[in-house]
Amino acid sequence: MATSASHHLSYLTDPDPHTGRLPARARLDSDAPAVDLDGDWAFRLASDTLDLTPAVGAEDLDDTAWDRITVPGSWQFVGLPGEPTYSPPAYTNVVYPFPVDPPHVPDANPTGEYRRTFTVPALAGGTRAVLRFEGVDSTFVVWVNGTEVGASAGSRLAAEFDVTGLVREGTNTVAVRVHQWSAASYLEDQDMWWLSGIYRSVRLLLLPAGGIEDVFAHADYDHTTGTGTLAVEVTTRDGAAAVLDVPELGLHGVDPAGPHTLDVEPWSAEVPRRYDAVLRTPTEQVRLRLGFRTVRVADGLITVNGANILFRGVNRHEWHPETGRTLDTETMLADVLLMKRHNINAVRTSHYPPDARFLDLCDEYGLWVIDECDLETHGFGLNGWRGNPSDSPDFADALLARMRRTVERDKNHASVIAWSLGNESGTGVNLAAMAAWTKDRDPSRFLHYEGDWDSGYVDVYSRMYADHAETEAIGRGAETPTTDPALDARRRGLPFIQCEYAHAMGNGPGGLTEYQDLFHTYDRLHGGFVWEWIDHGITRTTEDGRSYYAYGGDFGEVLHDGNFITDGLVFPDRTPSPGLREYKKVIAPIEIEAFDGGARARVRNRYAVLSTAGLVVRWDVEVDGEGVASGDVDLPDIAAGEVGEVDLAAAVAVALPDGVDGEAWLNLRVRLGADTPWADAGHEIAWTQHLLRERAEALVRTGAGGAERAEAGYAVGPARFDARGTLIGLGDHPVTGARLDLWRAPTDNDVGWDDVAAAWRKVGLDRTEQRTVSVDLDGDSLRVVTHTMAAAVDVGMRAVWTWTATADGVLLDVATEAIGTWTTTVPRIGVRLGLPVALTDVTWFGLGPGEAYADTRRAPHVGRFDSTVADLQTPYVFPQENGNRADVRWAELRDGDGVGVGLRAPDLVDLTVRPWTSEDLDAGRHTTDLVPGATTWVNLDAAQTGIGTNSCGPGVLAQHRLLAAPARITVELRTL
């Protein structure tokens, strides 16, 4: 079955092999017949180009012994979640997994060979048969009925081949040879799993004579007059005449070219109004969904239909943990609905055009889209950009073809308001040529590319991960100059986008609020796109059947970038992370703030188009977390960009009911008053809290019986201690491991660019030992002094523990101060206790229901919450610090019989309850490494340092860092 390498494989070193490939055109919704070629194909994987099947396209080739594979799909996913049947997935972020020797690729080049038969119905005279591939990774060659049709590359781009005269009525054979590596692979270094195969759909289009070949619909809108202008460019076959129907606009059988001036309602991401249209010839009809809108970049602003646009966006890779980049429509719709429900209004299609059905959904439900070309050459940056395809004449045609194919396929989508040349590909004349062609072909959208900070051939200034200080300077037009004064002056007049910011890897991202405040302060700042939407974990199972998500290195890759692939706002199964809930709160388009004792609320409408008509405010009053009153009030009609007020005096009893004492909060929740296509009535868009009455000072009454010596130790009320003054029991509950805790399992952001976790480890915070300095009976109290330090270092923490009996239990007061000169922040300052494992149910009054840290605390709210210990854990793909509940006033941990331990914090504490230790989290590499032990571990913290976004971006802002300064923890413990 082997064949020698020969001249016919020369296409592997061609950056754009396109023999037989038809010119790019729009993806049309036509009534012309088509044969669906998805489904089972015969499949064989050759490990090397010396192992290819001779005459693979021959009709009489016997492939009955071959395997069967599902198209669409990637061959690396066959066999998962167990062991991959063929070659395994591999992940790199920047580095190429083959030598950087363009245009050459390794001899060891896995190659998938596909074959299937299909049936073609009777063909009308003049029918043109076109074989259309929506996506094949990487370079491929096609045969139909034994004849080689052509070759193509561009993995995320459609390719069509004219097979008229080759297909026939009845049974036909198609064969496809797909190479994993080719010269085109140098253009596809896009921070994702390297996968291969026919991973998007395949169809045979049977296009009638006199039908419609291509369409470019221009549907502009003049916001000053309320009129739309419609002009549709139509290319037909055989010179046929086409006419246009738009019944809702009174157009019937008109000339598509127009132009037609009409009274219309415009399309926007907030109101995605579309009009059904049909282009028809005597032999074919093409359905269009028209959205009228006009995009402008002028005076340093981006506007659509005259409205200034602020992007509350995400970068979206295509991903599913069980099918890779092959997505069904239901999964794509799930993404769109999740985005809409979390106040996201924009998507950057990183770093390639998505499945076209996703853009259909963006048109329908309303999302602004920056459509990005299938281009990234990031790995060349590691070699000083030597040989970078962006500036290489050898790749000039390939880059231009990729841009052309992107624009031509997606040009009729109203949601696409910008084209992006690609991502992280340096600079060069080829990018300039792509920009020039795009501006000429489609001047109706703005042009984006981040890699050239001079911004000479684009319409917006774009950056990645500019920190808050630099972003503020850019907002003022005071950014650092570039070397070309003319380009620098032009760039300062451009609107600014953070095309990537707030890296959502693991626990985080932090600092979102401060970014959003800047976006709201400076008109030049048009928001940004969080990196990224989804964790690209791959579902796998352990030998004993437990499921987890794999990342880079889990398949034996020689080169990989670990869990950097799991950096999304949703987990691989699309469960929202705490980061997504935080983002939703921070970017809420409606801001509401109560004042005047809760009798009124100020409402700011940050929508670009929508008024507040139809929105409802749900109010309720809670005392110590228990509801006492609630109701609804309609929002007044506040126009986009305006501020109004809501009168709550008649609805909310500002004077709380007599006899109801406690901490009282007014909660205001802005909700949909009616169903929308993306959410039901009652869906919450925004919320706020207003403190009506502060909690009474938490007086702790001294109990009977002071501190005293006991057998082998001490006793204070219900608390028992060993001879060193370490807590070992509380009533009937044993306590283990009580100590001062300065460590947390580093988050992905802790080990990011600055690697603050390395500084923590350098001073031994992950391996501290506690030494008792003194134990004294001090009146009615037990006073214990400890030093917490690590071997080989002279810094640590001194803690004075004072235990005093109370009427209900025992009061612990811990005062800490630094030992030595600290040169780093502190992960946490708190107390760790080990309690019986039976205490599995947790109730608390504080921030919740989700986790919160110093710079990720906008989403939680003050209330009373119930959970199990298991549900308090956030299952980040890579184990790390998680699950902190902040500002806790009181909490209870109980077993199934209601017996347990309670705590009350006069000065608030942060609470973490886990079935494992921070050390267990630190040692874990996957969630399956975390096995509950015989202890429930409780952390009571004065504070933790913030989260930041330093896995790829700025670290923790100064105001959110925890320093080795004096701290205090006061908590009353009691038995229940």
Side-chain angles (χ1 to χ4, degrees):
M1 188 171 283
T3 184
S4 61
S6 62
H7 69 280
H8 76 279
L9 295 177
S10 61
Y11 59 80
L12 288 176
T13 57
D14 184 346
D16 183 32
H18 55 276
T19 55
R21 191 178 70 210
L22 294 171
R25 65 187 184 120
R27 175 177 172 271
L28 300 179
D29 181 7
S30 168
D31 67 350
V35 178
D36 184 357
L37 297 182
D38 290 352
D40 287 341
W41 290 55
F43 179 77
R44 174 182 178 271
L45 182 68
S47 61
D48 190 288
T49 51
L50 294 178
D51 185 34
L52 302 180
T53 303
V56 68
E59 289 189 82
D60 59 355
L61 179 71
D62 184 2
D63 59 24
T64 56
W66 288 21
D67 295 338
R68 291 297 181 266
I69 196 170
T70 300
V71 171
S74 299
W75 71 64
Q76 288 88 349
F77 268 74
V78 177
L80 294 176
E83 290 302 315
T85 302
Y86 305 111
S87 53
Y91 165 62
T92 63
N93 170 26
V94 177
V95 299
Y96 288 103
F98 47 80
V100 182
D101 182 24
H104 307 290
V105 293
D107 291 337
N109 190 353
T111 299
E113 296 180 325
Y114 296 76
R115 287 173 55 87
R116 69 162 290 166
T117 59
F118 59 96
T119 302
V120 174
L123 299 175
T127 296
R128 187 184 189 200
V130 173
L131 188 60
R132 181 180 177 91
F133 294 84
E134 297 293 346
V136 182
D137 192 330
S138 157
T139 290
F140 66 103
V141 186
V142 185
W143 293 261
V144 171
N145 292 332
T147 299
E148 184 174 324
V149 173
S152 184
S155 298
R156 265 60 67 182
L157 299 164
E160 291 185 326
F161 301 90
D162 190 338
V163 294
T164 307
L166 295 179
V167 298
R168 59 189 175 243
E169 182 181 346
T171 301
N172 295 259
T173 300
V174 60
V176 184
R177 178 177 283 158
V178 182
H179 300 277
Q180 178 164 10
W181 308 125
S182 68
S185 301
Y186 286 102
L187 306 179
E188 297 174 1
D189 185 26
Q190 290 145 319
D191 185 12
M192 59 188 181
W193 292 97
W194 294 91
L195 302 175
S196 315
I198 307 173
Y199 75 98
R200 288 182 184 164
S201 290
V202 186
R203 291 188 301 159
L204 178 69
L205 310 178
L206 303 175
L207 306 176
I212 296 170
E213 186 70 17
D214 199 10
V215 176
F216 193 172
H218 304 275
D220 298 325
Y221 180 74
D222 185 340
H223 68 279
T224 63
T225 64
T227 57
T229 301
L230 178 62
V232 183
E233 301 175 34
V234 184
T235 305
T236 61
R237 290 182 287 278
D238 309 314
V243 295
L244 174 69
D245 303 329
V246 190
E248 194 175 356
L249 296 177
L251 299 179
H252 301 278
V254 301
D255 180 359
H260 306 281
T261 301
L262 310 153
D263 290 330
V264 299
E265 299 172 47
W267 185 98
S268 72
E270 295 169 10
V271 185
R273 179 69 162 93
R274 296 187 300 168
Y275 294 86
D276 290 325
V278 175
L279 276 169
R280 52 189 171 89
T281 70
T283 60
E284 184 179 9
Q285 294 189 5
V286 167
R287 293 171 290 274
L288 300 175
R289 304 297 302 277
L290 301 173
F292 290 83
R293 77 308 166 264
T294 296
V295 182
R296 291 282 184 268
V297 174
D299 301 322
L301 299 177
I302 301 170
T303 62
V304 180
N305 304 330
N308 196 30
I309 302 303
L310 181 67
F311 295 114
R312 301 185 286 271
V314 292
N315 287 273
R316 176 186 176 270
H317 268 293
E318 295 183 305
W319 190 251
H320 190 284
E322 296 173 5
T323 59
R325 282 194 292 280
T326 301
L327 304 183
D328 57 23
T329 303
E330 291 73 21
T331 298
M332 289 183 268
L333 177 58
D335 281 345
V336 170
L337 294 180
L338 271 173
M339 291 174 190
K340 295 288 290 186
R341 292 168 185 169
H342 286 84
N343 294 329
I344 289 164
N345 71 357
V347 175
R348 176 179 174 231
T349 68
S350 53
H351 297 294
Y352 43 81
D355 188 307
R357 293 172 296 169
F358 178 75
L359 297 180
D360 291 339
L361 294 169
C362 293
D363 292 344
E364 180 179 355
Y365 290 91
L367 288 167
W368 310 115
V369 175
I370 295 180
D371 196 355
E372 194 146 88
C373 183
D374 188 12
L375 173 64
E376 182 170 336
T377 66
H378 202 169
F380 284 87
L382 299 178
N383 301 317
W385 296 107
R386 292 190 303 276
N388 182 22
S390 296
D391 205 37
S392 168
D394 294 339
F395 284 84
D397 291 343
L399 266 65
L400 187 57
R402 285 175 180 245
M403 195 69 212
R404 182 182 295 115
R405 291 164 71 188
T406 298
V407 172
E408 296 296 355
R409 191 198 74 167
D410 295 342
K411 60 198 173 194
N412 293 317
H413 287 283
S415 58
V416 176
I417 64 170
W419 304 114
S420 178
L421 301 179
N423 184 67
E424 292 176 319
S425 296
T427 59
V429 295
N430 296 337
L431 291 167
M434 294 164 67
W437 179 89
T438 305
K439 284 176 175 289
D440 181 67
R441 177 60 172 147
D442 181 24
S444 71
R445 295 170 167 101
F446 71 83
L447 197 59
H448 168 274
Y449 178 66
E450 181 272 342
D452 183 1
W453 293 1
D454 279 337
S455 308
Y457 40 76
V458 293
D459 300 310
V460 295
Y461 177 31
S462 178
R463 287 286 303 279
M464 294 181 182
Y465 308 108
D467 64 20
H468 300 79
E470 184 179 8
T471 300
E472 195 272 341
I474 293 170
R476 293 186 287 107
E479 63 264 33
T480 303
T482 56
T483 55
D484 187 317
L487 288 176
D488 183 66
R490 177 182 179 275
R491 189 196 73 243
R492 290 174 191 274
L494 297 179
F496 177 74
I497 293 173
Q498 284 259 43
C499 69
E500 294 179 21
Y501 83 115
H503 199 252
M505 187 175 179
N507 189 335
L512 289 171
T513 297
E514 290 81 2
Y515 270 124
Q516 200 67 21
D517 288 345
L518 291 171
F519 298 157
H520 290 160
T521 299
Y522 299 99
D523 288 342
R524 186 190 184 193
L525 305 183
H526 282 265
F529 298 79
V530 168
W531 185 268
E532 65 168 306
W533 176 241
I534 190 169
D535 286 341
H536 303 209
I538 295 177
T539 302
R540 298 207 72 185
T541 55
T542 61
E543 291 183 357
D544 59 358
R546 292 177 297 140
S547 180
Y548 67 96
Y549 294 114
Y551 48 75
D554 284 339
F555 296 95
E557 304 101 303
V558 175
L559 291 177
H560 65 84
D561 286 296
N563 68 311
F564 205 70
I565 196 69
T566 55
D567 48 10
L569 289 169
V570 297
F571 295 125
D573 64 357
R574 287 176 163 75
T575 299
S577 73
L580 180 57
R581 291 188 284 269
E582 181 79 358
Y583 193 42
K584 174 183 179 177
K585 178 64 169 70
V586 169
I587 63 174
I590 300 295
E591 295 176 1
I592 184 167
E593 179 184 13
F595 66 102
D596 195 14
R600 291 186 292 167
R602 185 174 297 106
V603 180
R604 180 182 295 274
N605 182 356
R606 292 197 181 275
Y607 279 117
V609 175
L610 278 174
S611 78
T612 58
L615 297 180
V616 174
V617 176
R618 176 72 176 180
W619 62 267
D620 66 83
V621 175
E622 292 183 348
V623 177
D624 289 340
E626 298 287 350
V628 297
S630 63
D632 291 333
V633 60
D634 290 336
L635 270 176
D637 191 348
I638 303 169
E642 299 299 322
V643 179
E645 288 189 3
V646 179
D647 186 354
L648 299 171
V652 179
V654 178
L656 292 171
D658 294 337
V660 178
D661 296 323
E663 183 177 346
W665 289 89
L666 169 64
N667 300 310
L668 301 176
R669 306 179 187 279
V670 180
R671 296 179 171 178
L672 294 177
D675 292 346
T676 70
W678 50 270
D680 294 337
H683 169 77
E684 185 174 291
I685 295 171
W687 66 268
T688 192
Q689 284 189 302
H690 179 77
L691 183 62
L692 294 176
R693 185 174 60 211
E694 294 184 2
R695 64 193 182 119
E697 185 178 353
L699 297 175
V700 178
R701 298 173 296 162
T702 302
E708 60 184 6
R709 294 187 182 277
E711 182 179 354
Y714 302 87
V716 182
R720 292 175 286 110
F721 304 83
D722 65 15
R724 291 194 176 95
T726 301
L727 180 67
I728 59 173
L730 191 65
D732 294 332
H733 303 294
V735 178
T736 60
R739 58 170 299 169
L740 187 71
D741 197 3
L742 307 177
W743 179 244
R744 75 180 185 197
T747 68
D748 288 314
N749 288 303
D750 292 336
V751 294
W753 288 355
D754 295 337
D755 200 356
V756 67
W760 295 342
R761 294 185 195 274
K762 186 175 182 180
V763 295
L765 297 184
D766 58 330
R767 53 182 176 83
T768 58
E769 300 177 21
Q770 184 161 293
R771 178 175 68 87
T772 301
V773 176
S774 62
V775 183
D776 298 296
L777 292 174
D778 185 7
D780 289 336
S781 300
L782 176 68
R783 184 176 183 273
V784 182
V785 179
T786 62
H787 285 187
T788 300
M789 305 174 71
V793 297
D794 62 354
V795 299
M797 283 281 178
R798 169 186 169 89
V800 178
W801 306 63
T802 303
W803 298 89
T804 306
T806 68
D808 299 315
V810 61
L811 181 67
L812 167 63
D813 180 87
V814 182
T816 68
E817 60 182 15
I819 298 172
T821 302
W822 285 68
T823 58
T824 182
T825 57
V826 189
R828 67 167 10 114
I829 299 175
V831 172
R832 185 198 298 190
L833 304 172
L835 296 175
V837 70
L839 304 183
T840 58
D841 298 317
V842 184
T843 301
W844 76 98
F845 181 41
L847 285 181
E851 67 186 27
Y853 294 83
D855 54 353
T856 62
R857 51 182 291 135
R858 289 288 301 278
H861 63 279
V862 176
R864 176 174 175 163
F865 306 98
D866 297 290
S867 178
T868 64
V869 173
D871 288 343
L872 289 175
Q873 316 312 306
T874 304
Y876 294 114
V877 172
F878 188 93
Q880 56 197 275
E881 164 63 37
N882 72 88
N884 184 67
R885 268 57 184 183
D887 292 356
V888 171
R889 283 85 163 145
W890 58 260
E892 296 176 348
L893 288 75
R894 297 180 185 267
D895 63 17
D897 296 323
V899 175
V901 172
L903 64 93
R904 184 166 54 142
D907 299 319
L908 309 183
V909 293
D910 282 7
L911 172 69
T912 308
V913 186
R914 296 195 180 106
W916 37 67
T917 65
S918 294
E919 289 75 17
D920 295 331
L921 278 172
D922 192 7
R925 293 298 174 264
H926 297 92
T927 53
T928 48
D929 295 333
L930 301 173
V931 180
T935 304
T936 294
W937 293 98
V938 178
N939 273 88
L940 305 171
D941 295 328
Q944 284 195 50
T945 202
I947 297 298
T949 182
N950 196 231
S951 54
C952 188
V956 179
L957 290 168
Q959 63 267 35
H960 302 308
R961 298 173 191 157
L962 180 60
L963 304 179
R968 198 173 202 103
I969 305 140
T970 304
V971 61
E972 182 186 31
L973 303 174
R974 57 192 174 89
T975 58
L976 301 172

Coordinates of all heavy atoms in Angstrom, one line a residue, residues 461 463 466-481 488 491-496 498 514-515 517-519 521-525:
Y461 N -7.1 51.7 16.8 CA -5.9 51.3 17.6 C -6.3 50.2 18.5 O -7.3 50.3 19.3 CB -5.4 52.5 18.3 CG -4.2 52.3 19.2 CD1 -3.2 51.3 18.9 CD2 -4.0 53.0 20.4 CE1 -2.1 51.2 19.7 CE2 -2.9 52.8 21.2 CZ -2.0 51.9 20.9 OH -0.9 51.7 21.7
R463 N -5.0 46.9 21.1 CA -3.9 46.4 22.0 C -4.4 45.2 22.7 O -5.6 44.9 22.9 CB -3.5 47.4 23.0 CG -2.7 48.6 22.3 CD -1.3 48.1 22.0 NE -0.6 47.6 23.1 CZ 0.0 48.4 24.1 NH1 0.0 49.7 23.9 NH2 0.6 47.8 25.1
A466 N -3.1 45.7 27.7 CA -2.6 47.0 28.3 C -3.1 47.1 29.7 O -4.3 46.9 29.9 CB -3.1 48.2 27.4
D467 N -2.3 47.4 30.6 CA -2.7 47.5 32.0 C -3.6 48.7 32.3 O -3.8 49.5 31.4 CB -1.6 47.4 33.0 CG -0.6 48.5 32.9 OD1 -1.0 49.6 32.4 OD2 0.6 48.4 33.4
H468 N -4.1 48.9 33.5 CA -5.0 49.9 33.7 C -4.4 51.3 33.5 O -5.0 52.2 33.0 CB -5.5 49.8 35.2 CG -6.3 48.5 35.4 ND1 -5.6 47.3 35.7 CD2 -7.6 48.2 35.5 CE1 -6.5 46.4 35.9 NE2 -7.7 46.9 35.8
A469 N -3.1 51.4 34.0 CA -2.5 52.7 33.8 C -2.3 53.1 32.4 O -2.5 54.3 32.0 CB -1.1 52.7 34.6
E470 N -1.8 52.2 31.6 CA -1.6 52.5 30.2 C -3.0 52.7 29.5 O -3.1 53.6 28.6 CB -0.9 51.3 29.5 CG -0.6 51.6 28.0 CD 0.2 50.5 27.3 OE1 0.3 49.4 27.9 OE2 0.6 50.8 26.2
T471 N -4.0 51.9 29.8 CA -5.3 52.1 29.2 C -5.8 53.5 29.5 O -6.4 54.2 28.7 CB -6.3 51.1 29.7 OG1 -5.8 49.8 29.4 CG2 -7.7 51.3 29.2
E472 N -5.6 54.0 30.8 CA -6.0 55.3 31.1 C -5.2 56.4 30.3 O -5.8 57.4 29.8 CB -5.8 55.6 32.6 CG -6.5 56.8 33.2 CD -5.7 58.0 33.1 OE1 -4.4 57.9 32.9 OE2 -6.3 59.1 33.2
A473 N -3.9 56.2 30.1 CA -3.2 57.1 29.3 C -3.6 57.1 27.9 O -3.7 58.2 27.2 CB -1.7 56.7 29.4
I474 N -4.0 56.0 27.3 CA -4.5 55.9 26.0 C -5.8 56.7 25.9 O -6.1 57.4 24.9 CB -4.6 54.4 25.5 CG1 -3.3 53.8 25.4 CG2 -5.4 54.4 24.2 CD1 -3.3 52.3 25.2
G475 N -6.7 56.5 26.9 CA -7.9 57.2 26.9 C -7.7 58.7 26.8 O -8.5 59.4 26.2
R476 N -6.7 59.2 27.4 CA -6.4 60.6 27.4 C -5.6 61.0 26.1 O -5.3 62.2 25.9 CB -5.5 61.0 28.6 CG -6.3 60.9 29.9 CD -5.5 61.5 31.1 NE -4.4 60.6 31.5 CZ -3.1 60.8 31.2 NH1 -2.7 61.9 30.6 NH2 -2.2 60.0 31.6
G477 N -5.2 60.1 25.3 CA -4.4 60.3 24.1 C -3.0 60.6 24.5 O -2.2 61.3 23.8
A478 N -2.5 60.1 25.6 CA -1.2 60.4 26.1 C -0.3 59.1 26.1 O 0.6 59.0 26.9 CB -1.3 60.9 27.6
E479 N -0.6 58.2 25.2 CA 0.2 57.0 25.2 C 1.6 57.2 24.7 O 1.9 58.3 24.2 CB -0.5 55.9 24.3 CG -0.6 56.3 22.8 CD -2.0 56.9 22.5 OE1 -2.5 57.6 23.4 OE2 -2.4 56.8 21.4
T480 N 2.5 56.2 24.9 CA 3.9 56.4 24.5 C 4.0 56.5 23.0 O 3.3 55.8 22.3 CB 4.6 55.1 25.0 OG1 4.5 55.0 26.4 CG2 6.1 55.2 24.6
P481 N 4.7 57.5 22.5 CA 4.9 57.7 21.1 C 5.5 56.5 20.4 O 6.3 55.8 21.0 CB 5.7 59.0 21.0 CG 5.7 59.6 22.3 CD 5.5 58.5 23.3
D488 N 2.1 58.2 14.3 CA 1.8 58.4 15.8 C 0.7 59.4 15.9 O -0.3 59.1 16.7 CB 3.0 58.8 16.5 CG 2.8 59.0 18.0 OD1 2.5 57.9 18.7 OD2 2.8 60.1 18.5
R491 N -2.6 57.7 14.8 CA -3.0 56.7 15.7 C -3.7 57.3 16.9 O -4.7 56.8 17.4 CB -1.9 55.8 16.2 CG -2.3 54.6 17.0 CD -1.2 54.0 17.8 NE -0.8 54.8 18.9 CZ 0.4 55.4 19.1 NH1 1.3 55.2 18.2 NH2 0.6 56.1 20.1
R492 N -3.2 58.5 17.4 CA -3.8 59.1 18.5 C -5.2 59.6 18.3 O -6.0 59.9 19.2 CB -2.9 60.3 19.0 CG -1.7 59.8 19.6 CD -0.7 61.0 20.0 NE 0.6 60.5 20.3 CZ 0.9 60.2 21.5 NH1 0.1 60.3 22.5 NH2 2.2 59.7 21.8
G493 N -5.6 59.7 17.0 CA -6.9 60.1 16.7 C -7.9 58.9 16.4 O -9.1 59.2 16.1
L494 N -7.4 57.7 16.6 CA -8.2 56.6 16.4 C -8.9 56.1 17.7 O -8.3 56.2 18.7 CB -7.3 55.4 15.8 CG -6.6 55.6 14.5 CD1 -5.8 54.4 14.1 CD2 -7.6 55.9 13.4
P495 N -10.1 55.5 17.5 CA -10.7 54.9 18.7 C -9.8 53.7 19.1 O -9.1 53.1 18.3 CB -12.0 54.4 18.2 CG -11.9 54.4 16.7 CD -10.9 55.4 16.3
F496 N -9.9 53.3 20.4 CA -9.1 52.3 21.0 C -9.9 51.1 21.4 O -11.0 51.2 22.1 CB -8.3 52.8 22.2 CG -7.5 51.8 22.9 CD1 -6.3 51.3 22.4 CD2 -7.9 51.3 24.1 CE1 -5.5 50.4 23.0 CE2 -7.1 50.3 24.8 CZ -5.9 49.9 24.2
Q498 N -9.4 47.2 23.4 CA -8.6 46.1 24.0 C -9.1 44.8 23.4 O -10.1 44.2 23.8 CB -8.8 46.0 25.5 CG -8.0 47.1 26.2 CD -6.7 46.6 26.8 OE1 -6.0 45.9 26.2 NE2 -6.5 47.0 28.1
E514 N -12.2 48.1 37.5 CA -11.3 49.2 37.3 C -11.2 49.5 35.8 O -11.1 50.6 35.3 CB -10.0 49.0 37.9 CG -10.0 49.1 39.4 CD -10.5 47.8 40.1 OE1 -10.7 46.8 39.4 OE2 -10.6 47.8 41.4
Y515 N -11.1 48.4 35.0 CA -11.1 48.5 33.5 C -12.4 49.2 33.0 O -12.4 50.1 32.2 CB -11.0 47.2 32.8 CG -9.5 46.8 32.6 CD1 -9.1 45.5 33.1 CD2 -8.7 47.5 31.8 CE1 -7.7 45.1 32.8 CE2 -7.4 47.2 31.6 CZ -6.9 45.9 32.1 OH -5.6 45.5 31.8
D517 N -14.5 51.0 34.5 CA -14.6 52.4 34.9 C -13.8 53.3 33.9 O -14.3 54.4 33.6 CB -14.0 52.6 36.3 CG -14.9 52.1 37.4 OD1 -16.1 51.8 37.1 OD2 -14.5 51.9 38.6
L518 N -12.7 52.8 33.5 CA -12.0 53.6 32.5 C -12.7 53.7 31.1 O -12.8 54.7 30.5 CB -10.6 52.9 32.2 CG -9.6 53.0 33.4 CD1 -8.4 52.2 33.1 CD2 -9.2 54.5 33.6
F519 N -13.3 52.6 30.7 CA -14.1 52.6 29.5 C -15.2 53.6 29.5 O -15.6 54.2 28.5 CB -14.6 51.2 29.2 CG -13.6 50.1 29.0 CD1 -13.9 48.7 29.2 CD2 -12.3 50.4 28.6 CE1 -13.0 47.7 29.0 CE2 -11.3 49.4 28.5 CZ -11.7 48.1 28.7
T521 N -15.2 56.3 31.3 CA -14.7 57.6 31.6 C -14.2 58.3 30.3 O -14.4 59.5 30.1 CB -13.5 57.6 32.6 OG1 -14.0 57.1 33.8 CG2 -12.9 59.0 32.8
Y522 N -13.6 57.5 29.4 CA -13.0 58.1 28.2 C -13.7 57.6 26.9 O -13.8 56.4 26.7 CB -11.5 57.8 28.1 CG -10.7 58.3 29.3 CD1 -10.4 57.5 30.3 CD2 -10.3 59.6 29.3 CE1 -9.6 57.9 31.4 CE2 -9.5 60.1 30.4 CZ -9.2 59.3 31.4 OH -8.5 59.8 32.5
D523 N -14.2 58.6 26.1 CA -15.0 58.2 24.9 C -14.1 57.4 23.9 O -14.6 56.6 23.2 CB -15.5 59.5 24.3 CG -16.7 60.1 25.0 OD1 -17.2 59.4 25.9 OD2 -17.0 61.3 24.8
R524 N -12.8 57.7 23.9 CA -11.9 57.0 23.0 C -11.9 55.5 23.2 O -11.6 54.7 22.3 CB -10.5 57.6 23.1 CG -9.6 57.1 22.0 CD -8.2 57.5 22.2 NE -7.3 57.0 21.2 CZ -6.0 57.0 21.2 NH1 -5.3 57.5 22.3 NH2 -5.3 56.5 20.2
L525 N -12.1 55.1 24.5 CA -12.0 53.7 24.8 C -13.3 53.0 24.5 O -14.4 53.3 25.1 CB -11.7 53.6 26.3 CG -10.4 54.3 26.8 CD1 -10.2 54.0 28.3 CD2 -9.2 53.9 26.0

